Amino acid sequence: VVTTIRAAVVEKSGTLPEIQEVDLVDVGGDEVLVRLAATGVCHTDVGWAAGDYDALEGAFPFPVILGHESAGVVEEVGANVTHLRPGDRVVLTLAHHCGHCGYCARGTPMLCDQRVQNRTRHIRDGLPIVQGHGTGGFAEATIVRAVSAIKVPADVPLEVAALLGCAVATGVGAAVNLAQVRPGSTVAVIGAGGVGVSVVMGAKLAGAERIVVLEPNADRRAQVAAFGATDTLGADEAAAAELEPHGFDYVFESAGRGDTMEMAVRLARKGGTVTLIGAPPPDVSVTLPALDFVASQKRLLGCLTGNVHPDIDIDAYCRLYLRGELPLDRLVSARIPFDDLHVGFQRTADGVGLRTVVVF
Ligand SMILES: [Zn+2]
Ligand SMILES: [Zn+2]
């Protein structure tokens, strides 16, 4: 049986996705075919299409079907899949983990040795097209490893559930899983896009007393209080330092820039924890004043999708959303039809709104 669907293909570096017909391969034994309902547009999609990661030879190939923040309905399951059945509503996670390598055993599925980022399950004119980030979410349907599809409760809208795949998992996970924000602590968040406000939500959940957001975009600044920010500033290091003269317990960088990463380290208190989340282009480096860093005993953490534990975290985020403790609806700034995907790319590139979601 050949399943023909519409998918948005980016032909080559520096071009935008174009919607065309492609076929799906047969569903493998440990895979599921998911009819997609919604896919969020992430900065990484825009950067991949623009060629920001071309220097990482072969890791971000073309032609590619981007989109890695997706939710939908299972249509077909492989012969070995026992935990999902057709009709299940699922969010697709980015872990694509094997479940038994050393990294999976250590509870870091995002670092899994078997993690397959660039699979090919869509075919055009007999040639395979890469699924960006192992998902291929800018398409009417996709095939993923069953381990990457996590069931969501009936009352969580799929356009909200989609955000659990990347932005929310990354931001909330950065605060809760990686930095392990403590009750009563002080937090600074640099950059308030979909990931940054998710850090704010995570820090609030964890009981932070003060959450300061540094964001140059006034429209985004106006929205962060609703997620739990207590103070909002422009990209103003001096103003932030004035608010907490001894530095912050936790600082998060989600702008993906070298200069703001260095700022993040400066804003942390002695013994404070700095978490770097934003994905800069591969040629960006940061410089630290080494003696000061050593003597102030700061901690510096990298963050890949919030070290999400899909089977535990996605379910928890859904329940917190239903209890009103994760205001995920507010993250969706715009819903656009699939045919307007280029508008979503433009909005994301321009930093308009928090998250633009394609609704199929
Ligand atoms: Zn993403
Ligand atoms: Zn593994």
Side-chain angles (χ1 to χ4, degrees):
V1 186
V2 175
T3 306
T4 302
I5 56 149
R6 296 170 75 230
V9 181
V10 181
E11 290 301 334
K12 57 182 201 288
S13 175
T15 65
L16 285 171
E18 281 181 33
I19 297 176
Q20 43 194 268
E21 289 201 336
V22 303
D23 295 329
L24 284 167
V25 301
D26 290 338
V27 177
D30 64 349
E31 296 180 331
V32 290
L33 190 160
V34 177
R35 186 67 58 172
L36 294 171
T39 299
V41 183
C42 178
H43 270 100
T44 323
D45 296 316
V46 176
W48 185 329
D52 287 357
Y53 310 117
D54 285 354
L56 298 170
E57 213 60 52
F60 294 83
F62 298 92
V64 62
I65 298 169
L66 297 168
H68 58 271
E69 193 175 78
S70 295
V73 178
V74 174
E75 193 163 286
E76 191 182 335
V77 303
N80 308 326
V81 177
T82 54
H83 72 292
L84 292 170
R85 62 181 66 172
D88 282 344
R89 303 163 80 255
V90 293
V91 54
L92 306 186
T93 87
L94 279 162
H96 308 300
H97 55 302
C98 75
H100 40 257
C101 73
Y103 290 104
C104 286
R106 288 184 185 95
T108 52
M110 285 302 297
L111 305 180
C112 173
D113 270 336
Q114 313 286 320
R115 208 175 152 225
V116 182
Q117 286 250 52
N118 298 323
R119 301 161 11 115
T120 50
R121 290 296 180 273
H122 298 78
I123 307 287
R124 183 186 58 185
D125 301 331
L127 294 172
I129 304 174
V130 166
Q131 293 179 320
H133 298 102
T135 305
F138 294 134
E140 290 173 335
T142 192
I143 294 173
V144 296
R145 279 185 177 170
V147 72
S148 302
I150 309 292
K151 258 198 255 193
V152 296
D155 18 14
V156 178
L158 288 175
E159 64 190 50
V160 165
L163 305 182
L164 300 175
C166 180
V168 175
T170 302
V172 177
V176 175
N177 293 341
L178 278 163
Q180 302 183 348
V181 169
R182 292 173 59 90
S185 58
T186 57
V187 173
V189 181
I190 302 170
V195 172
V197 296
S198 297
V199 174
V200 171
M201 286 191 279
K204 184 175 186 217
L205 265 181
E209 181 217 326
R210 176 171 235 178
I211 305 171
V212 178
V213 170
L214 293 86
E215 164 62 53
N217 180 320
D219 176 49
R220 286 180 166 176
R221 256 196 331 266
Q223 301 188 54
V224 294
F227 294 93
T230 56
D231 307 80
T232 53
L233 304 169
D236 188 341
E237 179 177 357
E242 203 170 298
L243 287 175
E244 288 294 330
H246 298 290
F248 291 83
D249 295 320
Y250 304 92
V251 184
F252 297 87
E253 200 277 355
S254 66
R257 291 168 35 158
D259 59 341
T260 45
M261 289 180 172
E262 290 168 3
M263 186 205 294
V265 176
R266 287 193 296 270
L267 283 173
R269 69 158 167 80
K270 287 188 282 185
T273 300
V274 180
T275 307
L276 305 183
I277 311 168
D283 58 339
V284 171
S285 296
V286 297
T287 304
L288 298 177
L291 177 60
D292 178 71
F293 185 78
V294 170
S296 59
Q297 205 171 301
K298 294 178 184 179
R299 295 197 304 154
L300 184 56
L301 302 172
C303 171
L304 181 60
T305 318
N307 195 32
V308 66
H309 303 91
D311 294 307
I312 304 168
D313 295 337
I314 300 290
D315 183 57
Y317 298 159
C318 286
R319 285 183 288 117
L320 289 164
Y321 164 76
L322 292 172
R323 280 173 48 178
E325 291 186 43
L326 278 182
L328 302 179
D329 302 286
R330 291 179 183 276
L331 257 178
V332 183
S333 301
R335 296 162 181 78
I336 57 172
F338 188 28
D339 288 296
D340 291 348
L341 178 60
H342 59 283
V343 176
F345 269 56
Q346 194 60 52
R347 285 174 57 89
T348 305
D350 293 343
V352 178
L354 297 174
R355 217 49 162 185
T356 299
V357 178
V358 174
V359 179
F360 293 91

